[in-house]
Amino acid sequence: TSMTSAKIQVNGVHLHYQLTGEGSHAVLLLPGMLGSGQTDFGPQLKSMNTQIFTIVAWDPRGYGQSIPPSRDFPPDFFERDAKDAVDLMQALKFKKFSLLGWSDGGITALIAAAKYPTLIHKLVVWGANASVTQEDVRIYNGIRDVSKWSEKVKKPLEEMYGHKYFAKTCEAWVDAISRFAEKSDGSICQQLLPDIKCPTFIIHGEKDPLVPQAHAEYIHKHIKGSR
């Protein structure tokens, strides 16, 4: 099946996406922090069933090939990504679609499913969290300096961004995500979880070094009927 790689104007920015498949079930793949469709979802773009699914992977603004603009982190950056993601799919003429998000993309997917319930068919999130604790902040600060990252994780991102943009954006992300912990409940999107009405599947790696398992359990407990 052929792969389309293109940009489309959404909310004043040119968002890059890849699209493959001709199935009736449209799915959007949402990458994690600093990620892009290609770096985070190469295997899914290659091996998901193209008869059943139409698969879209996007680069959120400031990430991957959706530069310019440079990535920034206003307080509502997750809500902005959620709106961009939904508006991108609507610009591509999908009336209803499923969301598959990991890490920051999982958080974005949770917010989108809560805020745009009529548009979201199904939801799968992994490595996601709905709040930030002081313990999380300690973990995040451990990845602030990208020179300490493993070569395997670092290399594709350095190739995509160049060292300077990669290092600067990672530091800015750590600062931005840590700000949520300053609120009394540390919430990113806890209050929205009860608004999610679509079938939801939560996956979590027991050894996830960045997101403790309690986050997945919290999300499961607060999305009615989730698995």
Side-chain angles (χ1 to χ4, degrees):
T1 308
S2 67
M3 170 88 71
T4 302
S5 180
K7 284 188 166 185
I8 189 166
Q9 189 164 351
V10 176
N11 298 326
V13 295
H14 290 91
L15 295 175
H16 179 261
Y17 67 94
Q18 290 162 286
L19 186 152
T20 187
E22 54 265 348
S24 59
H25 188 160
V27 297
L28 175 65
L29 308 175
L30 299 97
M33 173 263 277
L34 280 161
S36 66
Q38 194 51 51
T39 54
D40 289 16
F41 296 115
Q44 286 76 16
L45 286 163
K46 272 209 287 289
S47 54
M48 278 180 75
N49 187 323
T50 52
Q51 273 18 99
I52 299 174
F53 301 111
T54 297
I55 303 131
V56 182
W58 80 310
D59 300 358
R61 62 170 76 196
Y63 286 160
Q65 294 181 60
S66 294
I67 303 172
S70 291
R71 182 70 181 182
D72 64 346
F73 297 96
D76 66 343
F77 73 93
F78 283 118
E79 282 80 4
R80 183 181 68 182
D81 283 348
K83 184 169 177 11
D84 282 349
V86 165
D87 291 352
L88 166 77
M89 291 300 277
Q90 293 200 292
L92 295 173
K93 303 284 187 275
F94 295 108
K95 289 189 173 57
K96 202 161 181 165
F97 45 91
S98 292
L99 302 172
L100 281 72
W102 96 274
S103 186
D104 273 18
I107 299 171
T108 301
L110 291 168
I111 293 169
K115 288 195 156 179
Y116 310 97
T118 57
L119 302 176
I120 311 306
H121 183 40
K122 294 182 177 183
L123 174 65
V124 182
V125 296
W126 61 107
N129 49 305
S131 66
V132 178
T133 67
Q134 290 304 329
E135 168 63 9
D136 294 328
V137 172
R138 192 186 63 72
I139 296 171
Y140 299 145
N141 276 303
I143 67 157
R144 177 185 288 276
D145 179 357
V146 297
S147 68
K148 296 189 178 127
W149 287 28
S150 78
E151 206 45 49
K152 181 179 170 232
V153 181
K154 185 166 64 177
K155 195 168 174 254
L157 293 168
E158 270 191 338
E159 282 171 2
M160 185 161 64
Y161 293 119
H163 179 77
K164 195 178 157 200
Y165 187 93
F166 172 40
K168 187 184 79 182
T169 307
C170 181
E171 286 183 15
W173 178 85
V174 171
D175 290 340
I177 197 92
S178 299
R179 280 199 295 271
F180 289 104
E182 292 163 14
K183 295 197 257 179
S184 59
D185 56 358
S187 176
I188 301 173
C189 62
Q190 287 178 325
Q191 71 291 353
L192 292 175
L193 300 180
D195 296 341
I196 296 173
K197 301 290 185 259
C198 63
T200 301
F201 188 39
I202 298 144
I203 304 170
H204 204 79
E206 216 167 57
K207 297 178 181 173
D208 189 319
L210 214 56
V211 183
Q213 192 176 319
H215 285 298
E217 288 162 2
Y218 181 95
I219 294 168
H220 174 40
K221 189 176 160 194
H222 290 86
I223 298 178
K224 199 171 185 274
S226 63
R227 294 192 295 141

